[in-house]
Amino acid sequence: MVVGTMIGGGAFNLISDMGAQAGGLAIIIGWLITGIGMIALGLSFQNLTNVRPDLDGGIYSYAQAGFGDYMGFNSAWGYWFSALLGNVAYGTLLMTAVGHFLPMFKGGSNVPSIIVASLLLWSVFLLISRGVKNATIINMIVTVAKMIPLFLFLVVMVIAFNFDTFMTGFYGMTEHGPKEFDIHDVMVQVKSTMLVTVWVFLGIEGAVIFSSRAKRRSDVGKATIIGLISVLIIYMMITILSQGIIIQNQISELSNPSMAEVMGHVVGKWGAAVINIGLIISVMGAWLGWSLLAAEVPYLAAKDDIFPAWFGKDNDNHAPVNSMLMTSLIVQLFFFTLLFTDKAYNFAFSLASSAALLPYAFSAFYQLKFSRQRSRKQMLIGSVASVYTIWLIYAAGLEYLLLTMILYFPGIFVYRHVQKLHGRSITKIDKILFGIITSLALIGIYFIIKGQISGF
């Protein structure tokens, strides 16, 4: 589940998503920061799973336990929308890959693409409705299948790697040639990679979300760490080796999926076809995995009286049918918006990454808070994870902060409704947070109307 949800479509476009604006040095630094931060976050999930086995909701229940109902609700709400938008990005990238074989789907954001993606969306809904266990078995099979083209790609990259090409773009490049070393410019490049690294690591908490369904609690933490380190090594090899194949200032010109373009550059059209087939398999698996996650979070939150009780209904197959239905309807709505942007994939994955930052941050903060008087080692891990998530919010930038607040804004009314139903009062801190989120959301809407936010 961890590997299957992390290695989705993002891995197949990682070369251009990271390398378009960053040279080899910035990419290496970016992965070092990401590796340290994500391992600390993974260890936090592992520790909290062990010391708080009663918190079966994982990613949102940590925020609730440490910082109250409203932050717990926001973590569930943000994570849910992150998963929704991840599925939108997967749908777009999937149809782009199909467009390699059938030109009518080229680009992934036209009417034929939306129709087929919608049919697949509701097919996944029907599959999950037949039971979560069946869906996870299929996810495991797909995970194994999609690793084959990835390993083939890495073998070809190792053989074809050119050290001179890699060093030419090591500090980044302009249209006219290589850049000289400039630490400020390198860090700007590093900053540009951060939302991409979050996107490709979304799913690190996959085992934690399903911890209530695990036979052995100890397996949850082990799966998280083993899956994380394995995927980190694969990602580093994909991005670093590719800069020794395609010179850095030409990477931004690669079309989606960029891995197919690079493979085709080395071995010809058959290589691009193999990668596109791998992408189609991979996205279908990741789409299934993320649909499971997207349905599970509101379902668990409803069981904990944070979301409306309607989300907590399951069917005879023990599948969260209402939660899955609402999830699919919202994804369908987002699919229709793809007609209005030519940067659908990049916009969807960036916003999905941004929406996940708050749930990640408050999980890290709770690790720090819970460990403060219990374990210096765990407190250090929590400190590193907290600093990393704060850095991610800064690196994402104001634009995505405002867009994320627009997503969080409707949650205010849902939260007030749920609190009222359960006879719980709205605290003063809640009201202050309502005001902050509302203000930032209104500023974001204003900037969209003025055309000052990219993606629209």
Side-chain angles (χ1 to χ4, degrees), residues 37-106:
M38 280 294 176
I39 288 172
L41 196 56
L43 289 171
S44 296
F45 286 134
Q46 182 186 43
N47 177 59
L48 292 173
T49 299
N50 293 332
V51 298
R52 291 298 309 268
D54 54 309
L55 301 179
D56 285 337
I59 195 88
Y60 78 84
S61 55
Y62 301 146
Q64 182 189 20
F67 307 98
D69 285 348
Y70 187 49
M71 293 319 302
F73 171 86
N74 272 329
S75 288
W77 184 269
Y79 190 82
W80 183 37
F81 267 89
S82 175
L84 291 173
L85 290 161
N87 283 338
V88 175
Y90 285 142
T92 307
L93 195 57
L94 174 64
M95 300 319 300
T96 301
V98 173
H100 177 82
F101 305 100
L102 300 172
M104 66 184 294
F105 298 111
K106 190 173 182 179

Side-chain angles (χ1 to χ4, degrees), residues 222-236:
K222 293 175 185 176
T224 299
I225 298 304
I226 293 171
L228 169 61
I229 293 174
S230 302
V231 171
L232 176 63
I233 292 170
I234 293 171
Y235 287 162
M236 289 183 70

Side-chain angles (χ1 to χ4, degrees), residues 12 97 100-101 145-154 156 257 259-261 263-264 267-282:
F12 290 81
H100 177 82
F101 305 100
K146 71 187 177 187
M147 297 304 291
I148 296 172
L150 283 178
F151 283 124
L152 174 64
F153 175 82
L154 291 176
V156 170
M259 183 183 288
E261 291 274 295
M263 188 71 160
V267 302
K269 291 184 178 179
W270 71 266
V274 168
I275 296 300
N276 274 293
I277 291 170
L279 172 60
I280 292 169
I281 295 171
S282 181

Side-chain angles (χ1 to χ4, degrees), residues 322-394:
N322 283 359
S323 179
M324 190 63 215
L325 175 62
M326 182 59 69
T327 297
S328 300
L329 287 171
I330 297 175
V331 172
Q332 181 69 75
L333 182 63
F334 272 105
F335 275 158
F336 291 136
T337 68
L338 300 181
L339 292 171
F340 305 103
T341 176
D342 58 355
K343 297 180 285 185
Y345 170 71
N346 296 77
F347 182 69
F349 90 66
S350 297
L351 192 52
S353 303
S354 181
L357 294 183
L358 187 144
Y360 281 171
F362 276 89
S363 295
F365 297 162
Y366 183 58
Q367 161 76 0
L368 178 60
K369 180 179 179 180
F370 187 82
S371 305
R372 192 168 52 191
Q373 295 178 339
R374 293 176 173 84
S375 168
R376 289 185 179 181
K377 175 185 174 182
Q378 294 300 332
M379 189 176 77
L380 176 61
I381 291 171
S383 299
V384 173
S386 297
V387 170
Y388 173 63
T389 54
I390 292 170
W391 154 252
L392 288 176
I393 293 169
Y394 163 74

